[in-house]
């Protein structure tokens, strides 16, 4: 099949959307990277680097990535939008861009979270704000932004509730060692991708408390059980937990200790004050998803002791060690 370059907008210029801008441009697509200020767009055009170089250190963007500030220019005649703001700010971005939103384009959401208070998945927020969007998909998997930008091989899953939405997006993304799997489990892929961030906090806390590998692995197993309960109760599929959004992303986040959520859990486990942890400039989705996860589990009528323990730690009700004791004592009582 002959390659057909697409016009693709990536925004905002955080780690993930920027990394995909690099990847997609290397495949030959015309890519526009959306900035919030004209000064940032001008700086990018001049240097071909992100204004905040800490997001993707030492990455020089290809010439076919254009920095754009004007939303009209960003979305003009666009084929695909890669949209990956912090989960709790997705609604804000959508509302701000609503007058310009390209409803006929394919929309790929890379944000992983559950909206606070509403308990809505990212796709549900998009459809609430932009009900005209019909070509909507989500992307999830072991996708560390720095490695994608460096061109390292990996795989991901693109999920949608319509098969004819997945194929064009997958063909645009696949190549140069980047493998795309397809899924119709729209709910499950989003839930697992969001909830594994809370599990990463839990395993990170175990590491920070200097519990041994046995204890950390046991808590990881219980956290996976919590995630499975919520996913199945909400209508997700068990096989999703074995795919890129499930085991693939969980292995990267929990076992390889490579993500911000795990590293933040380590800080909490070592006793760093919560106010300092929450003041971090980086987005750590699990800090906010924990509350949504516990509230969603309650609404679904399922028990999630590890996720609940993380939530209680984050609101100051328990210390990490108290939560660990509570979880393990509950398991002992159940099995007696």
């Amino acid at each position: 099949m002959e390659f057909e370059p697409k016009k693709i907008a990536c925004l905002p210029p955080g780690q993930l959307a920027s990394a995909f801008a690099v990847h997609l441009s290397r495949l030959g697509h015309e890519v526009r990277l959306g900035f919030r200020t004209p000064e940032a767009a001008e700086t990018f055009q001049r240097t071909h680097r992100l204004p905040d170089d800490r997001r993707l250190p030492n990455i020089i963007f290809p010439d076919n990535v254009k920095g754009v500030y004007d939303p009209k220019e960003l979305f003009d005649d666009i084929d695909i939008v890669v949209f990956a703001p912090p989960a709790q700010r997705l609604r804000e971005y959508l509302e701000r861009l609503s007058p310009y939103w390209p409803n006929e384009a394919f929309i790929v959401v890379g944000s992983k979270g559950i909206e606070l208070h509403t308990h809505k998945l990212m796709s549900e927020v998009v459809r609430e704000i932009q009900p005209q969007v019909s070509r909507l998909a989500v992307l999830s998997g072991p996708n560390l932004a720095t490695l994608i930008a460096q061109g390292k091989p990996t795989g991901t899953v693109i999920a949608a509730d319509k098969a004819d939405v997945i194929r064009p997006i997958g063909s645009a993304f696949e190549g140069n060692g980047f493998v795309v799997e397809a899924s119709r489990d729209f709910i499950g892929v989003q839930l697992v991708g969001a909830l594994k961030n809370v599990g990463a906090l839990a395993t990170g806390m175990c590491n920070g408390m200097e519990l041994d590998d046995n204890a950390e692995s046991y808590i990881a197993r219980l956290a996976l059980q919590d995630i499975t309960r919520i996913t199945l109760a909400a209508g997700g599929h068990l096989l999703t937990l074995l795919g890129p959004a499930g085991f693939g992303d969980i292995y990267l986040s929990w076992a390889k200790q490579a993500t911000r959520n795990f590293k933040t859990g380590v800080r909490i486990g070592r006793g760093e004050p919560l106010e300092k942890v929450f003041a971090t400039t980086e987005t750590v989705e699990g800090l906010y998803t924990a509350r949504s996860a516990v509230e969603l589990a309650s609404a679904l009528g399922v028990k999630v002791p590890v996720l609940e323990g993380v939530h209680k730690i984050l609101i100051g009700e328990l210390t990490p060690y108290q939560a660990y004791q509570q979880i393990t004592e509950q398991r002992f009582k159940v099995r007696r």
Side-chain angles (χ1 to χ4, degrees), residues 24-281:
L24 292 163
S25 65
R26 286 175 179 157
L27 292 177
H29 299 294
E30 177 189 319
V31 179
R32 304 167 196 167
L33 188 57
F35 289 88
R36 292 199 69 167
T37 67
E39 293 78 15
E42 289 168 9
T43 298
F44 177 84
Q45 282 296 98
R46 187 174 65 254
T47 64
H48 285 278
R49 302 171 75 109
L50 292 177
D52 183 356
D53 196 47
R54 294 171 298 175
R55 291 178 175 173
L56 290 178
N58 305 315
I59 296 296
I60 298 176
F61 286 66
D63 291 341
N64 55 330
V65 180
K66 182 180 181 181
V68 177
Y69 162 68
D70 182 2
K72 290 182 180 179
E73 181 183 357
L74 179 66
F75 294 138
D76 180 49
D77 197 29
I78 210 74
D79 297 306
I80 298 172
V81 177
V82 180
F83 191 48
Q88 303 307 325
R89 297 184 61 193
L90 184 133
R91 180 180 294 272
E92 170 198 333
Y93 271 92
L94 283 169
E95 289 174 344
R96 182 173 63 84
L97 295 169
S98 182
Y100 315 100
W101 199 257
N103 292 316
E104 297 305 313
F106 291 93
I107 311 299
V108 187
V109 179
S111 309
K112 297 176 182 177
I114 303 169
E115 191 177 48
L116 284 168
H117 309 301
T118 69
H119 309 149
K120 290 187 174 183
L121 300 175
M122 300 294 95
S123 64
E124 293 171 324
V125 178
V126 173
R127 283 176 167 162
E128 177 191 335
I129 305 299
Q130 295 292 340
Q132 302 90 347
V133 168
S134 60
R135 297 170 169 179
L136 179 63
V138 295
L139 179 149
S140 189
N143 299 149
L144 270 184
T146 51
L147 299 182
I148 292 173
Q150 291 167 11
K152 304 296 185 181
T154 188
T156 198
V157 60
I158 292 175
D161 46 16
K162 299 176 183 177
D164 60 352
V165 171
I166 300 171
R167 284 190 293 270
I169 297 171
S171 63
F173 273 77
E174 198 161 53
N176 288 353
F178 191 87
V179 178
V180 176
E181 295 186 17
S183 173
R184 295 288 298 278
D185 186 8
F186 207 28
I187 293 173
V189 166
Q190 293 180 80
L191 275 175
V192 175
L195 296 172
K196 61 87 186 160
N197 289 328
V198 188
L201 286 174
T203 53
M205 289 177 196
C206 291
N207 185 283
M209 288 188 287
E210 298 185 351
L211 300 178
D212 59 34
D213 289 344
N214 289 341
E216 189 175 324
S217 298
Y218 184 65
I219 290 298
R221 200 278 295 179
L222 294 178
L224 180 58
Q225 189 169 282
D226 288 359
I227 292 170
T228 303
R229 288 189 183 119
I230 293 179
T231 301
L232 297 183
H237 302 160
L238 184 60
L239 284 176
T240 296
L241 287 132
L242 302 178
F247 182 79
D249 208 1
I250 286 170
Y251 178 74
L252 176 67
S253 302
W254 302 5
K256 302 302 287 185
Q257 307 175 4
T259 64
R260 282 177 283 188
N261 288 281
F262 184 92
K263 293 174 182 176
T264 300
V266 171
R267 292 168 59 193
I268 297 171
R270 288 175 178 166
E272 193 167 321
L274 290 174
E275 58 269 21
K276 186 176 179 181
V277 171
F278 275 95
T280 182
T281 56

